[in-house]
Amino acid sequence: MRPDTGNELVDAILHAAHRVRTAADANLREGGLSLPGFKLLRALAAQDRSMREVSDILHLAPRTVTDIIDGLQGRGLVDRRPHPSDRRITLLHLTEAGAARLAEATEGADRARDAAIAGLDEDERATLRRLLTRVGVVRT
């Protein structure tokens, strides 16, 4: 169902974003990983992070992050570890299995991402990027 904000351009942007996100999530779920789970694994790829950091990076409520982490930890993709200097903080760590799963999922996510814009030539992609950048700038 298309959004109905009262502005057809905004509706088109929201609808396109929803379709891209839904296709990416479906592609990832075929391999047993959700889009939020994939994003969480990516957030941990470079370094261990606290729950708060992950929550901020993903723009998700801490409770939602906890649920995602519980699922990933249950599958051996993420570990919880104590912070080396602050016992109040638990760090999330990407396991070896998590890194392997992330590498596999990234290939599929890249294909889904590329398919979303496959119908656009380079000039159209540049124009779209420029326009969306301008749309994202809020003026008061």
Side-chain angles (χ1 to χ4, degrees):
M1 181 174 195
R2 289 184 70 96
D4 185 9
T5 65
N7 183 301
E8 81 177 56
L9 289 176
V10 171
D11 293 348
I13 292 167
L14 294 173
H15 185 63
H18 175 74
R19 287 187 2 229
V20 170
R21 192 171 28 263
T22 300
D25 188 58
N27 182 290
L28 289 164
R29 285 184 187 277
E30 287 177 12
L33 197 61
S34 67
L35 183 56
F38 174 72
K39 289 178 178 182
L40 193 144
L41 294 181
R42 283 187 57 176
L44 299 178
Q47 67 185 51
D48 294 354
R49 297 185 186 274
S50 71
M51 300 277 279
R52 170 59 59 194
E53 288 175 307
V54 170
S55 178
D56 291 345
I57 289 167
L58 300 181
H59 306 288
L60 294 173
R63 179 68 207 149
T64 302
V65 171
T66 299
D67 290 343
I68 298 168
I69 292 164
D70 288 347
L72 294 173
Q73 186 174 23
R75 295 171 48 202
L77 304 178
V78 172
D79 279 337
R80 288 178 167 98
R81 296 183 172 180
H83 190 280
S85 61
D86 189 340
R87 63 187 178 99
R88 297 170 298 170
I89 299 174
T90 298
L91 294 177
L92 304 172
H93 174 78
L94 185 65
T95 65
E96 203 171 297
R101 184 66 198 102
L102 176 60
E104 293 168 9
T106 298
E107 290 179 26
D110 288 350
R111 282 192 304 275
R113 176 203 63 211
D114 293 346
I117 58 171
L120 302 176
D121 65 32
E122 284 303 317
D123 288 340
E124 291 169 323
R125 291 176 191 194
T127 298
L128 181 59
R129 185 180 315 107
R130 188 178 69 254
L131 291 172
L132 288 174
T133 298
R134 287 179 52 200
V135 167
V137 176
V138 179
R139 294 182 177 95
T140 54

